[in-house]
Amino acid sequence: MDNRPIGFFDSGLGGLTSVQELHRLLPEEKVIYYGDTARTPYGSKSPETIRRFATQIVDYLVSKNPKMIIIACNTVTSWALDSLRDRYPDIPILGVIRPTVRKVVEDGCKKVGVIATKATIGSDVYGKSLKALDPDIEVHSLACPAIVPLVEEGFIDGEIMELTVRHYMDDFVRTNQFDDLILGCTHYPLIAGHLNKLYPGIRLYNSSAEVIHEAKDILTARDMLASGSELTDRYYASDLSDNFISMTDLLFSGTDFKIKFVKLED
Ligand code: DGL
C-alpha cells in the first residue's frame, strides 16, 4: 500500500478529464494536479518551450512527494516524456499516448483518425507508434488548434464549439472514412458529445482514460494502491481562471478538494 498522491499535470483544465477517470476507476487514490492556465495552450508552442514548462511543473510536483506522475497532456507526452523520465528515473512517469495506441491496436482497428494539437500532430508520435505495432494500420491525422483555447474559455457545449468542430472535421471525416477516432488531446473528451452527435458510428478512443488503466496495472503490480488515505485532493493552477475553478467544481462536486494559485519561475 502507498497512500502518497498521484501527480497530474496539463497545460490547463484538459487533464481534469484524466483525474475524472482516476476517481471512477481507483476511487481511493488522491491527486495533486497542476494546470498551467497562465501559459495555455501548449499545442502551438515549440518543443523547447514545452519541455521547459513541463520540467518546471514536474519539479514542483516532485517537491510534493508523489508516488507516480501522469502527464495528462498529449502535447507534453509527445515532446517531453523521455527527458522527464531521464530527470526522475526513480518515479514512474506515465504518458497518455502509449496506452491509447496499445488499446487501439489490441481492438484491431485498421482505419484510424487522430485529432490533436499542432505540436502533437507535428511530432507524428501517434502515427509512428501505431505503425510500429501494426504496419498495416491506416492513420489519418489532423491538428485542431482552436479547440483547446475555446475549452479553456468555457465554450464547450453550444453553437460556437459545434461550428469549430465541423470546421475541422467535416471534410476530414468525409475524405478519409475512418471507423475509429483517437482523441489525442485531453481537452477533447469534453467535446465528445459534439463528435458523437455529428459523426455517429465513429468509435472514440479517449487518451485521458486509457492512461488510468495503465496506472492501475502498475500500482497493482508494485503493491502501491492507496487505501483509507485521509489526504485531500489538491488542484494548483498558474492562473486561477474562472473556468478552471468552475470546471473543477463541476467535475468533482461532492469530493473534498482545495484549489490554489501557484506561479512557477520562468
Ligand atoms: N490537453 C493538452 C493535450 O493533451 C492540450 C495542449 C495545449 O495546451 O494545447 O495536448
Side-chain angles (χ1 to χ4, degrees), residues 101-123:
V101 163
R102 206 182 312 129
K103 175 80 172 122
V104 165
V105 172
E106 267 168 24
D107 285 358
C109 305
K110 287 291 173 199
K111 253 186 137 180
V112 181
V114 182
I115 51 172
T117 66
K118 263 190 204 162
T120 300
I121 297 300
S123 75

Side-chain angles (χ1 to χ4, degrees), residues 10-11 40-43 73-75 117 148 185-187:
D10 178 47
S11 63
T40 193
Y42 282 10
C73 176
N74 287 265
T75 306
T117 66
V148 168
C185 172
T186 55
H187 284 70

